[in-house]
Amino acid sequence: MIYLHKPSVAFCIFLSLIAGCSATVDSKEVNVQSMTPGEFWTVPTDAIPIWIIYRTPEEISVLSVINKPISDKPPFNNAFRSIRPELFVVYGNCPGSTELLRNDRGKGFTCLATGISYDLSGRPVDGNTASASLSLPNYTFKNAVTLVIPNSQ
């Protein structure tokens, strides 16, 4: 599990005297080089936690055969809903709610408030009443191993 923290205001005031610093952090950088298949990290933000899930080869193969309409914007408009198939970055809350999700390891996610299930790419499982997929942060890659995640959207 990874926890990233914003610098304190007092620390920023101190640093601003010598190097400049802002009490507001617009994004977080997360080095995912040490992640292994099946691993799950939580990145705290000002609002809703963001989850980074390193998918296993089996999970990737399950997602590669899903034939559902894709409504996401590039670069997330693929069967994996991610920039790279092995890394899934998602907000850890139910759509339209602040209620947290449960990560059903290797099976998907469940909203604790409604019981609605989502697949490994955050799409509602067939037969559920949910109309929206899980929300994705507009992350990017700084390089091959560093994710840049916005603090809020």
Side-chain angles (χ1 to χ4, degrees):
M1 191 175 295
I2 186 167
Y3 291 97
L4 303 174
H5 302 282
K6 294 191 318 185
S8 70
V9 173
F11 184 69
C12 286
I13 292 170
F14 170 75
L15 285 181
S16 68
L17 297 173
I18 56 173
C21 180
S22 170
T24 302
V25 176
D26 293 330
S27 62
K28 297 179 186 217
E29 292 186 2
V30 181
N31 186 316
V32 295
Q33 184 172 14
S34 66
M35 283 191 90
T36 58
E39 202 163 355
F40 171 93
W41 287 0
T42 299
V43 179
T45 66
D46 287 343
I48 299 164
I50 293 174
W51 292 347
I52 304 172
I53 298 152
Y54 196 119
R55 294 177 176 136
T56 65
E58 294 80 21
E59 292 168 340
I60 293 169
S61 66
V62 166
L63 289 174
S64 65
V65 297
I66 290 177
N67 189 15
K68 290 186 179 180
I70 298 169
S71 60
D72 298 299
K73 295 178 182 176
F76 309 111
N77 59 339
N78 55 52
F80 309 104
R81 295 187 71 222
S82 60
I83 296 172
R84 292 179 14 199
E86 72 277 12
L87 288 174
F88 184 50
V89 182
V90 64
Y91 285 108
N93 69 307
C94 304
S97 167
T98 57
E99 185 70 34
L100 295 179
L101 294 164
R102 180 180 70 226
N103 179 5
D104 299 327
R105 303 285 178 152
K107 297 176 185 168
F109 311 93
T110 302
C111 177
L112 297 176
T114 63
I116 293 173
S117 296
Y118 299 87
D119 68 14
L120 294 166
S121 63
R123 291 188 192 92
V125 174
D126 292 335
N128 279 314
T129 58
S131 59
S133 296
L134 299 180
S135 298
L136 306 176
N138 193 24
Y139 71 93
T140 59
F141 278 91
K142 179 178 180 179
N143 55 43
V145 298
T146 307
L147 282 170
V148 179
I149 301 173
N151 200 29
S152 60
Q153 296 215 209

